[in-house]
Amino acid sequence: LTRFGSYWTVTDSRSLFDNGYAPTVGPHIDIDGQFDSALRTFVSVCRANGLNPVLATQPHRLADPAIAAYIRDLPDVPRQHWLDVQRRFNDIIRDVAREEGVPLIDLERIVPQDAAHLYDAVHLTEQGCSISADSVAAVLSKGLDHNGHYPHGD
């Protein structure tokens, strides 16, 4: 990844939201293939190194009409496209967690999608951080074995 303007992009400076984006994802990144594969690789590498991964979805307010003005200031991509992409990322995270037997912290469903918990489209407020931290602590603490490790369900 390289920094291009104010957005992280792939090394050739093409982003997910370049001109000519597709209605579901974008022409340059195959979310269903690349993100899914990368996430499964992450899980495998963790396990190969004796680590027990835990996955979490990304909370957001992209469906909130109050965010529309913020999204309008970003690259020329319809707000619905941003929402579709975020939802697809989260769906893949859920699918991989279920299929790989990895604990999931579904922050998209846990953190309320309002200004009290997310101060913009994706950044947590103090209240959002508190809910997220409590959720992470609850998942990690309930599954610890007698050695202090979280079993990964093999």
Side-chain angles (χ1 to χ4, degrees):
L1 293 176
T2 59
R3 184 127 167 109
F4 181 75
S6 60
Y7 302 98
W8 288 99
T9 62
V10 292
T11 55
D12 63 2
S13 297
R14 294 181 303 172
S15 80
L16 182 63
F17 305 111
D18 266 350
N19 294 332
Y21 67 90
T24 55
V25 176
H28 308 300
I29 296 177
D30 171 16
I31 289 179
D32 289 305
Q34 291 177 331
F35 181 63
D36 182 278
S37 176
L39 206 52
R40 290 176 193 280
T41 298
F42 169 77
V43 170
S44 294
V45 168
C46 286
R47 289 178 172 164
N49 287 284
L51 303 171
N52 298 308
V54 176
L55 300 178
T57 58
Q58 170 70 49
H60 61 85
R61 285 177 56 202
L62 291 167
D64 185 340
I67 296 301
Y70 169 77
I71 297 297
R72 201 172 16 249
D73 292 336
L74 296 174
D76 187 23
V77 177
R79 181 173 60 98
Q80 186 63 44
H81 181 70
W82 290 83
L83 179 59
D84 292 345
V85 168
Q86 185 62 55
R87 286 180 174 159
R88 188 64 196 128
F89 273 122
N90 284 340
D91 287 344
I92 291 169
I93 293 166
R94 288 182 193 103
D95 291 346
V96 170
R98 183 185 65 254
E99 292 166 13
E100 297 291 332
V102 172
L104 173 71
I105 304 165
D106 200 343
L107 295 177
E108 182 183 34
R109 294 184 177 146
I110 295 168
V111 176
Q113 296 179 8
D114 59 31
H117 298 88
L118 293 136
Y119 71 84
D120 64 7
V122 295
H123 296 100
L124 296 166
T125 64
E126 187 173 334
Q127 285 179 282
C129 286
S130 180
I131 289 173
S132 296
D134 290 346
S135 300
V136 169
V139 168
L140 295 181
S141 65
K142 77 178 180 181
L144 294 176
D145 66 18
H146 66 282
N147 293 319
H149 296 107
Y150 199 95
H152 52 67
D154 284 344

